Amino acid sequence: MPSMETENSNVLRAEEIKLLANEAFKAHKYSQAIDLYTQAIELHSENAVYWANRAIAHTRLEEYGSAIQDASRAIEVDPKYSKGYYRRGAAHLAMGKFKEALKDFQQVKKICPNDLDATKKLKECEKAVMKLKFEEAIAVPESEKVEPQYDGARIEGDFVTLNFVKKMMDDFRNQKFLHKRYAFQIVLQTREMLCALPSLVDINIPDGKHFTVCGDVHGQYYDLLNIFELNGLPSEDNPYLFNGDFVDRGSFSLEVILTLFAFKCMSPIYLSRGNHESKSMNKIYGFEGEVRSKLSDTFVEAFAEVFCCLPLAHVINEKVFIVHGGLFSVDGVKLSDIRAIDRFCEPPEEGLMCELLWSDPQPQPGRGPSKRGVGLSFGGDVTKRFLQENKLDLVVRSHEVKDEGYEIEHDGKLITVFSAPNYCDQMGNKGAFIRFEAPNLKPNIVTFSAVPHPDVKPMAYANNFLRMFS
């Protein structure tokens, strides 16, 4: 058994060799560095730094398996040593093992919440994992053949056409389903189009042309059809923006989202993310259960991935700001700050993205806690400052049921629009949409009542526990 003196001598000698190894590493002599770190480890194997340093030298030589082994040993020696997780995560990332890398960078973030590089790597991994899940989800149905007896809408070739959409909408009206192959084609194409957009989308309406903004639809497919009856189908000359909360609560959410996505494939509509375009909401309020029931489990991840690609806000002609929820807990937020949001994730519980999706106006000035427990309430003075600082005229948002389908607040500077009449078959409210005509963009609000739908109750696919309290 080595004496205390020998142990101390080994520790000191190991540290000297580590410094030589570091110099070799800095000189890009990675093999030499590995040899020297190995000598240091042989003298003092319970130092996590030596293992982690040898791991990064292996990574430089693209010896990722050895790097993972060394980084794992560093973590065994010191479970709170962030560089062990970081080095292992980097090796996993280099090997394309995104799920494993994600776990490592999550651990780095937990130990060092202010590590900017780890935060960046974590976001890269989250995106890669979502993409991976999406690709896994769409891989199986690609090989599915459309059965000869299938008499529903068909996409001929690579492009969604108006004839296809009309046939699909009519099939949905008659409670027929779309073949999975075509549903995947729509979802995949929509994802590709949405991913190419910024987090804040600028819309230009030429003089003499009009533009329609709709609020929450919440799976009320037959009321969506009624909007199109009243205001015309989406087209290049009749463009729409649907301002989030397309799904959940109403039991025809799949029909709603596939219809909106199909029109998106043809380009005459814009889509904003709402707070219900998220996994946590979909799991509770029905969309996840409905997708599983009408399509398959594989579609659940596919829709979740596409929802993470939805833009967060729109601006019409540099005058009208449109967002699902509302404004912010701090003054001074510029449109450029919204454009800079990395939105490709599940909504966080705080920050600009959360507030865009969850906040509500309040009648009194200033800011207050949110009645929802997420986001905040903001007064007319907050709205006024935001508009002045960004040289805008009006905020349009949705997110709240209103008796008349809309409400004008904050001295006319903020309009709430809600497009799900008789919400959940029990609120008795009207629905509304807003038509803007360029150049003056004066809001023309159209209200409408609910129309009959098949006898499927709202929340039919919702979490069983939640239905007990509905």
Side-chain angles (χ1 to χ4, degrees):
M1 183 174 176
S3 67
M4 183 71 71
E5 188 177 333
T6 304
E7 280 188 15
N8 289 340
S9 174
N10 285 348
V11 168
L12 290 171
R13 179 61 184 148
E15 193 63 16
E16 290 171 1
I17 294 171
K18 182 202 83 169
L19 294 175
L20 293 173
N22 288 352
E23 290 302 316
F25 183 90
K26 288 175 188 174
H28 309 297
K29 296 176 181 178
Y30 302 122
S31 294
Q32 183 183 341
I34 288 169
D35 290 340
L36 289 164
Y37 288 130
T38 302
Q39 292 176 40
I41 288 167
E42 287 170 352
L43 287 165
H44 184 41
S45 63
E46 295 305 302
N47 189 320
V49 174
Y50 302 166
W51 293 101
N53 284 9
R54 193 171 74 174
I56 195 172
H58 280 304
T59 298
R60 289 288 190 271
L61 292 175
E62 300 183 7
E63 298 167 354
Y64 302 122
S66 297
I68 288 168
Q69 286 180 348
D70 279 356
S72 297
R73 185 72 182 94
I75 292 164
E76 285 176 29
V77 171
D78 184 357
K80 293 185 178 179
Y81 185 51
S82 64
K83 284 186 179 178
Y85 296 101
Y86 188 96
R87 303 271 159 80
R88 189 170 70 180
H92 278 140
L93 197 58
M95 293 178 73
K97 294 184 175 181
F98 301 117
K99 292 177 184 177
E100 292 86 346
L102 180 62
K103 291 176 186 174
D104 285 328
F105 287 118
Q106 284 171 337
Q107 198 64 31
V108 178
K109 183 73 174 168
K110 189 175 176 182
I111 298 169
C112 305
N114 298 320
D115 187 322
L116 295 179
D117 192 57
T119 301
K120 184 180 175 184
K121 294 285 196 305
L122 180 60
K123 287 185 176 179
E124 287 174 11
C125 288
E126 286 169 343
K127 285 184 195 176
V129 169
M130 283 196 296
K131 187 170 185 289
L132 199 62
K133 286 181 178 177
F134 184 77
E135 288 169 351
E136 286 171 358
I138 65 168
V140 179
E142 273 299 307
S143 59
E144 285 188 8
K145 296 239 188 320
V146 180
E147 304 82 359
Q149 64 268 30
Y150 174 72
D151 64 353
R154 293 173 181 260
I155 300 174
E156 304 295 342
D158 296 330
F159 299 103
V160 172
T161 64
L162 183 58
N163 284 339
F164 163 79
V165 178
K166 285 180 176 178
K167 167 67 173 161
M168 181 185 72
M169 289 168 62
D170 201 45
D171 286 348
F172 286 161
R173 187 197 299 270
N174 295 312
Q175 295 183 272
K176 293 182 179 179
F177 293 151
L178 180 68
H179 195 281
K180 291 177 187 176
R181 186 178 185 89
Y182 303 127
F184 269 107
Q185 191 168 336
I186 290 167
V187 171
L188 188 61
Q189 192 171 334
T190 302
R191 177 186 176 277
E192 190 176 332
M193 296 179 77
L194 293 175
C195 280
L197 297 173
S199 291
L200 185 148
V201 177
D202 289 291
I203 300 169
N204 180 52
I205 308 300
D207 289 358
K209 298 291 185 179
H210 66 268
F211 187 84
T212 301
V213 177
C214 296
D216 304 35
V217 178
H218 272 304
Q220 296 186 197
Y221 179 68
Y222 294 82
D223 294 306
L224 175 65
L225 294 181
N226 188 40
I227 291 172
F228 293 153
E229 289 282 334
L230 296 170
N231 196 56
L233 288 175
S235 68
E236 294 297 331
D237 292 324
N238 191 32
Y240 282 78
L241 165 59
F242 284 86
N243 196 27
D245 282 13
F246 322 119
V247 300
D248 281 339
R249 297 192 185 273
S251 295
F252 304 95
S253 291
L254 183 64
E255 289 82 353
V256 167
I257 199 64
L258 285 175
T259 299
L260 295 180
F261 278 6
F263 275 116
K264 182 65 193 170
C265 291
M266 295 166 58
S267 296
I269 70 170
Y270 297 82
L271 301 171
S272 277
R273 191 173 193 174
N275 62 304
H276 276 267
E277 279 68 59
S278 68
K279 283 184 179 180
S280 57
M281 294 291 105
N282 296 163
K283 190 175 288 294
I284 299 168
Y285 290 99
F287 183 59
E288 182 178 305
E290 184 178 344
V291 170
R292 284 206 167 95
S293 174
K294 294 179 180 178
L295 288 171
S296 68
D297 286 356
T298 56
F299 274 88
V300 173
E301 285 296 341
F303 278 111
E305 162 75 4
V306 181
F307 288 165
C308 289
C309 302
L310 287 162
L312 303 176
H314 294 75
V315 173
I316 303 176
N317 288 12
E318 300 181 348
K319 292 183 178 181
V320 181
F321 178 72
I322 305 172
V323 66
H324 177 74
L327 300 182
F328 311 104
S329 55
V330 293
D331 287 334
V333 175
K334 298 291 173 48
L335 296 182
S336 56
D337 297 320
I338 301 170
R339 285 191 185 93
I341 295 172
D342 183 358
R343 71 184 189 276
F344 297 97
C345 60
E346 287 300 312
E349 294 184 7
E350 59 184 12
L352 297 187
M353 181 173 170
C354 171
E355 290 162 3
L356 284 163
L357 299 181
W358 279 95
S359 294
D360 296 292
Q362 64 181 24
Q364 64 270 30
R367 295 178 171 91
S370 168
K371 58 197 175 190
R372 302 174 190 269
V374 189
L376 70 145
S377 297
F378 60 96
D381 54 332
V382 175
T383 299
K384 184 179 178 182
R385 284 195 298 273
F386 173 77
L387 292 173
Q388 286 176 342
E389 288 168 355
N390 289 284
K391 298 177 182 176
L392 298 163
D393 296 338
L394 178 68
V395 173
V396 173
R397 44 88 63 180
S398 302
H399 195 38
E400 287 183 286
V401 60
K402 298 294 180 182
D403 287 345
E404 294 302 313
Y406 74 97
E407 186 172 358
I408 302 173
E409 300 171 81
H410 295 179
D411 296 324
K413 295 296 185 182
L414 182 143
I415 303 176
T416 297
V417 60
F418 192 85
S419 301
N422 194 25
Y423 183 43
C424 292
D425 285 358
Q426 60 182 320
M427 298 297 285
N429 61 291
K430 290 181 180 176
F433 55 82
I434 307 174
R435 275 174 66 110
F436 291 96
E437 188 162 331
N440 65 10
L441 297 185
K442 181 184 175 184
N444 176 29
I445 301 171
V446 179
T447 64
F448 56 94
S449 299
V451 296
H453 62 75
D455 188 20
V456 182
K457 302 300 182 194
M459 307 283 278
Y461 302 94
N463 181 287
N464 287 332
F465 182 75
L466 189 68
R467 280 210 305 274
M468 290 167 61
F469 296 93
S470 296

